Amino acid sequence: MADVAKRAGVSTMTVSRALRDGGMVSGDTRARILAAIEELGYVLDQTAGTLSSKRSGFMAAIVPSLNNSNFADTARGITEAIEESGLQMLLGYTDYQVEKEEKLIEAMLRRRPEGLVLTGGRHTPRARKLLEAAGIPVVETWDIPPDPIGHAVGFSNAAACRALVHRLYERGYRNIGFVGGTSNRDTRGADRRLGYSEAVEELGLPRGRIISFGKPPISMEQGGEAIVHMVTQWPDVDAVVCVSDLSAFGAIAECHRRGWAVPGRIAVAGFGDFEVARCAFPRITTVAVDSLEIGRQAGELILRAIEGARAGRSMPAETMIIPFKVIEREST
């Protein structure tokens, strides 16, 4: 700022006033200051202003993966919702690890975000403690946590998978299996497995036909290997619910290689309605959720909460339910 002041022939205080409120200095003086800023490539350091005003001008979002199209759409929806407000978004990803999420939360809170959007409703005890102590708006997405930290935008993964199993039952399938990961670090995948188990219990179907294969997120290749384990262990299985469309695609590809007709020999369903589900052969039955809308609603909610906090108002916690839909295609 001192360099800018010297170049423009003014005091540093005048530069500060021009950047804070252009109306506090004359038009000619402000023009000289802006020209000096352009020449020097100066960027205002907002740290001191953040400490005094408690307005950092940014919010943070944490997603499990950057290469998953659903979470990419959610991040895009948040950005679209806040872009006219002047807020910027700091984005981090956890690789489906709650321990990594805890470290990201701590790192982001050190930078004083005005709000935080999380994926899922399960966190480490320390992460939850950090968030509750931060005193900023928090929105949990892609889930409906039983005890939300603040706001929530999402749906029940368990209910969605339960609905998918019921739909397969309605189509005549009676020996239905489930393919998921080897750990619960993907909490949404764990909820889908729970929904599957609840559905087979409700319908009186054979229980325990679950193959846990690979660390989340399960790849196409792992889906192919898992379907072989499923058929080997339970030869009478006639339908399989996969934790995601990617694993379902891999399972179908492996069925083609082995000459197992889909759905003639075995039906395969996925979750997420990724592009690959719509382009596969046969096209994949799945559960569709509007991931972009989850982001938009979360962005609008965090923006309202931040504006309320700036005005000294405490916004009551809100939970917004995003509908899901079972989409039947040729794979079942």
Side-chain angles (χ1 to χ4, degrees):
M1 191 177 288
D3 292 337
V4 171
K6 183 177 180 180
R7 179 68 64 93
V10 298
S11 68
T12 54
M13 181 59 72
T14 301
V15 174
S16 178
R17 287 172 176 166
L19 293 174
R20 269 202 326 272
D21 184 352
M24 296 178 71
V25 299
S26 69
D28 289 343
T29 300
R30 187 167 188 271
R32 292 204 314 276
I33 291 170
L34 293 178
I37 287 172
E38 183 68 24
E39 291 168 10
L40 295 171
Y42 172 71
V43 177
L44 176 65
D45 183 350
Q46 292 187 322
T47 305
T50 296
L51 291 172
S52 61
S53 69
K54 296 184 180 180
R55 296 188 183 186
S56 62
F58 83 93
M59 52 79 59
I62 298 177
V63 297
S65 170
L66 295 179
N67 61 1
N68 180 306
S69 61
N70 279 351
F71 297 127
D73 282 345
T74 297
R76 182 160 61 91
I78 296 171
T79 302
E80 290 178 359
I82 69 171
E83 63 184 349
E84 298 298 325
S85 70
L87 276 174
Q88 299 296 316
M89 182 172 72
L90 178 64
L91 183 65
Y93 79 100
T94 67
D95 194 26
Y96 295 87
Q97 299 177 54
V98 291
E99 296 81 10
K100 189 171 181 179
E101 181 194 58
E102 178 188 306
K103 292 179 180 178
L104 277 171
I105 289 170
E106 183 176 16
M108 288 178 168
L109 289 178
R110 288 174 181 165
R111 290 161 176 78
R112 299 178 181 270
E114 296 190 59
L116 189 55
V117 176
L118 304 172
T119 304
R122 298 183 193 172
H123 320 282
T124 67
R126 183 169 181 268
R128 187 179 182 95
K129 186 176 180 179
L130 288 170
L131 291 166
E132 290 172 341
I136 62 172
V138 174
V139 178
E140 294 164 287
T141 63
W142 279 91
D143 199 359
I144 301 298
D147 183 22
I149 296 169
H151 311 285
V153 178
F155 64 101
S156 169
N157 282 270
C161 196
R162 190 163 63 244
L164 178 57
V165 174
H166 275 265
R167 187 66 59 88
L168 292 173
Y169 180 86
E170 291 168 5
R171 295 195 63 83
Y173 298 104
R174 294 296 182 268
N175 297 295
I176 304 170
F178 179 87
V179 167
T182 57
S183 75
N184 283 341
R185 75 181 199 179
D186 176 10
T187 58
R188 288 157 303 286
D191 285 344
R192 292 165 197 170
R193 184 173 65 234
L194 174 63
Y196 158 82
S197 297
E198 290 174 345
V200 297
E201 181 76 24
E202 292 164 358
L203 296 168
L205 303 180
R207 293 175 289 178
R209 300 189 174 199
I210 298 172
I211 294 293
S212 299
F213 195 93
K215 293 181 179 179
I218 301 179
S219 66
M220 296 181 186
E221 182 178 4
Q222 290 166 336
E225 294 179 67
I227 196 76
V228 175
H229 284 283
M230 177 70 71
V231 173
T232 301
Q233 191 164 347
W234 296 286
D236 63 339
V237 68
D238 56 7
V240 172
V241 172
C242 295
V243 73
S244 74
D245 288 341
L246 296 181
S247 54
F249 180 89
I252 290 173
E254 185 62 32
C255 288
H256 289 332
R257 280 191 286 270
R258 292 175 177 267
W260 301 341
V262 178
R265 164 62 184 86
I266 186 168
V268 178
F271 200 106
D273 195 27
F274 295 179
E275 184 178 12
V276 69
R278 300 188 291 273
C279 298
F281 178 78
R283 295 184 304 162
I284 301 172
T285 292
T286 189
V287 174
V289 183
D290 193 338
S291 49
L292 184 65
E293 185 62 17
I294 288 177
R296 285 185 183 135
Q297 293 293 344
E300 291 175 5
L301 187 53
I302 200 75
L303 184 58
R304 292 200 307 274
I306 288 172
E307 289 173 345
R310 286 177 172 180
R313 299 191 306 271
S314 178
M315 180 175 163
E318 292 186 21
T319 294
M320 305 185 70
I321 307 296
I322 303 297
F324 62 81
K325 178 170 63 175
V326 175
I327 299 179
E328 291 187 78
R329 298 192 177 112
E330 293 87 349
S331 70
T332 60

